[in-house]
Amino acid sequence: MALRVFGTFALGKLGLQAQVMQAAGVTAAYAYSTVVQGYKYAKSHEWAKVHGDTATVGISDHAQSQLGDVVFVELPDVGKVVKQGETFGVVESVKAASDVYSPVSGEVVEVNQALVDKPGTVNTSPFEEGWIIKVKLSNKGELAALLDADAYAAECEKH
Amino acid sequence: MSRPVLNMLRISRLPIYTQLHLEEALLRGTKDNWLIINDGAFNPAIVVGISGRPPELIQCNEALQYGIQVIRRFTGGGTVVVDHDTVFCTLIMQGSLLPHVECFPQPIMAWTERLYRPAFAAAGCPDFALRENDYVIASGQKVGGNAQAITGRRWLHHTSFLWDFDADRMGLLRQPGKAPKYRQGRSHFDFVTRLRDVLPSSGSRQRLVDAIVDAAANVADIDVQERTLADAAAALRQPQLLLGTKLLDLREFLRSGEGLLR
């Protein structure tokens, strides 16, 4: 029941985003949340989009819909070294402080300062404007351990 | 095959600052399941959530004059004033113990309602419920604050039940900028209620604590085992454990001009 409620909430919030995503030709859908092709996903619901030696990182639509309204994002410092599978920050929503885990290893080269004033962007645009950090990759081989969009969608449907 | 263990710690008058350190160490440094009940804090304190900004939440000048301790905790949520009449209940769970409860805020809170509702009923309050993420009784009055920390497949949920509270200390809090719909603009004193006024008198506080322990034993297929404070405190000796709970000095906010907010 709870998942269905949040699915409806997510669809409502994502109406505009779905149009953007379809225009980019990258949308896959499962159950009630959006999964974007071309991104890599961790089972802990973070995504990585690779551009050359850098990856942009955020949390998935499934995660933002389950977390509820995001009211605060604790960002790491630029220059911090992150490791795949280890926590790099915190997202606060609905009285919960939830750790977020880096899907890649490397050095943080940029953080999304816009989230300081508008943390809700993580809800409204989890795959675009709601990105959290950018990482200069130290081991591109680790990307093989992540899931593609279809595998991640299947993982989420287990719950 | 043995059942999973829920370690139970029943204490009273542990300082809330110490309790929060202990909780976070148990959450981050172990994979054990815990139910911690601290019946009353040693000293009064204002506790803000991980992102709380004291000038927006606290009457800073008045709180400084009062001399009350101010703490930032590692969980989300709002601001509470605690003292010896606050009953603290904390659950620390490995997600695998409750595979049907997804490690996200709403499923966790819904599960806690399943634990606390029968406990309150057994203690004499049959209309305890979860409403918009708060614990309330039928009149729509809040009876405690709750918050969570979620780390991977492990989570902590803690609650401060208001057995009683001091009106002067409660008056040190500002009306929060964001409030649940059911609050309907009510003042703090109309919005929250004392459990001592709700539950039948004489012995109800102890009955409530006992009922929570009983409910925890029945809510899952687990083996409840009593532990001591020394058992739990072993988690604090974990090396390189970074804890988020901190004491706050309100003078820093006044010096920066933030505390002049009216």
Side-chain angles (χ1 to χ4, degrees):
Chain A
M1 176 62 87
L3 180 59
R4 196 172 289 272
V5 168
F6 278 104
T8 305
F9 168 82
L11 280 174
K13 290 251 180 185
L14 285 172
L16 180 60
Q17 182 187 343
Q19 292 173 35
V20 171
M21 289 299 166
Q22 285 187 332
V26 294
T27 303
Y30 78 93
Y32 301 99
S33 296
T34 296
V35 177
V36 178
Q37 297 288 346
Y39 286 47
K40 302 292 278 185
Y41 297 84
K43 288 185 178 180
S44 51
H45 306 293
E46 294 83 9
W47 55 261
K49 186 176 180 189
V50 180
H51 321 260
D53 292 331
T54 305
T56 305
V57 171
I59 65 170
S60 70
D61 182 45
H62 175 75
Q64 71 79 17
S65 71
Q66 290 291 313
L67 287 172
D69 289 345
V70 174
V71 298
F72 172 72
V73 180
E74 185 180 87
L75 298 166
D77 292 328
V78 171
K80 179 181 169 66
V81 172
V82 294
K83 291 184 183 173
Q84 187 180 58
E86 292 188 2
T87 181
F88 72 85
V90 176
V91 169
E92 185 188 357
S93 65
V94 197
K95 305 192 176 192
S98 301
D99 288 350
V100 282
Y101 297 85
S102 182
V104 295
S105 298
E107 180 186 333
V108 176
V109 294
E110 192 178 347
V111 299
N112 189 353
Q113 289 290 348
L115 297 181
V116 172
D117 292 328
K118 292 186 177 179
T121 310
V122 172
N123 296 116
T124 56
S125 182
F127 294 110
E128 294 286 329
E129 283 83 27
W131 65 273
I132 303 177
I133 59 173
K134 292 185 180 177
V135 178
K136 184 175 176 186
L137 299 169
S138 61
N139 183 356
K140 280 181 111 170
E142 284 180 340
L143 295 171
L146 301 176
L147 306 172
D148 65 17
D150 293 336
Y152 175 66
E155 181 70 25
C156 289
E157 285 195 353
K158 287 179 190 174
H159 301 286
Chain B
M1 195 165 162
S2 59
R3 297 189 297 174
V5 171
L6 177 66
N7 298 287
M8 186 178 67
L9 176 64
R10 291 177 68 157
I11 45 179
S12 63
R13 301 295 188 272
L14 189 70
I16 185 58
Y17 183 61
T18 305
Q19 178 181 335
L20 289 168
H21 269 267
L22 179 63
E23 288 180 0
E24 195 175 7
L26 288 169
L27 172 68
R28 297 193 183 284
T30 79
K31 291 204 183 321
D32 301 327
N33 307 301
W34 284 88
L35 167 64
I36 299 171
I37 299 178
N38 180 21
D39 190 354
F42 180 75
N43 52 297
I46 293 174
V47 187
V48 302
I50 187 172
S51 67
R53 293 185 58 207
E56 295 173 8
L57 302 166
I58 303 170
Q59 309 276 6
C60 290
N61 276 312
E62 290 81 351
L64 272 168
Q65 285 168 23
Y66 195 96
I68 192 168
Q69 188 182 58
V70 181
I71 301 167
R72 181 187 301 288
R73 63 179 188 269
F74 61 98
T75 53
T79 309
V80 293
V81 182
V82 302
D83 58 26
H84 59 281
D85 277 323
T86 310
V87 177
F88 302 94
C89 294
T90 301
L91 292 152
I92 304 172
M93 295 294 201
Q94 196 69 13
S96 55
L97 180 65
L98 302 167
H100 57 289
V101 180
E102 261 210 285
C103 292
F104 285 110
Q106 292 289 356
I108 291 168
M109 267 191 281
W111 183 83
T112 66
E113 188 189 18
R114 287 177 48 202
L115 185 154
Y116 288 127
R117 190 196 281 256
F120 271 74
C125 178
D127 52 17
F128 172 94
L130 182 69
R131 185 182 303 179
E132 293 183 57
N133 310 313
D134 282 342
Y135 295 134
V136 301
I137 54 169
S139 58
Q141 288 180 296
K142 188 172 169 178
V143 295
N146 74 87
Q148 300 175 33
I150 302 169
T151 177
R153 291 284 303 159
R154 195 161 163 73
W155 53 265
L156 175 147
H157 180 281
H158 56 196
T159 306
S160 50
F161 287 115
L162 301 171
W163 181 257
D164 196 356
F165 58 82
D166 180 279
D168 287 343
R169 284 198 282 269
M170 194 66 80
L172 295 175
L173 301 186
R174 292 181 183 273
Q175 190 101 327
K178 217 173 172 186
K181 292 194 187 85
Y182 81 94
R183 181 165 182 158
Q184 297 175 327
R186 288 177 283 171
S187 74
H188 214 77
F189 298 103
D190 292 330
F191 176 54
V192 298
T193 191
R194 297 170 167 89
L195 279 173
R196 64 155 203 198
D197 295 334
V198 172
L199 293 173
S201 53
S202 188
S204 325
R205 182 166 172 167
Q206 186 59 48
R207 268 201 300 280
L208 176 62
V209 171
D210 292 342
I212 291 171
V213 172
D214 289 342
N218 293 323
V219 77
D221 188 22
I222 51 174
D223 184 18
V224 178
Q225 294 183 7
E226 288 225 39
R227 300 292 183 218
T228 65
L229 184 55
D231 294 332
L236 289 166
R237 293 197 289 272
Q238 302 275 335
Q240 297 175 336
L241 195 61
L242 288 177
L243 300 179
T245 299
K246 295 185 188 334
L247 290 172
L248 298 181
D249 184 346
L250 293 182
R251 291 174 299 180
E252 292 179 9
F253 297 94
L254 291 173
R255 275 195 286 268
S256 69
E258 285 186 80
L260 298 176
L261 190 74
R262 284 284 178 260

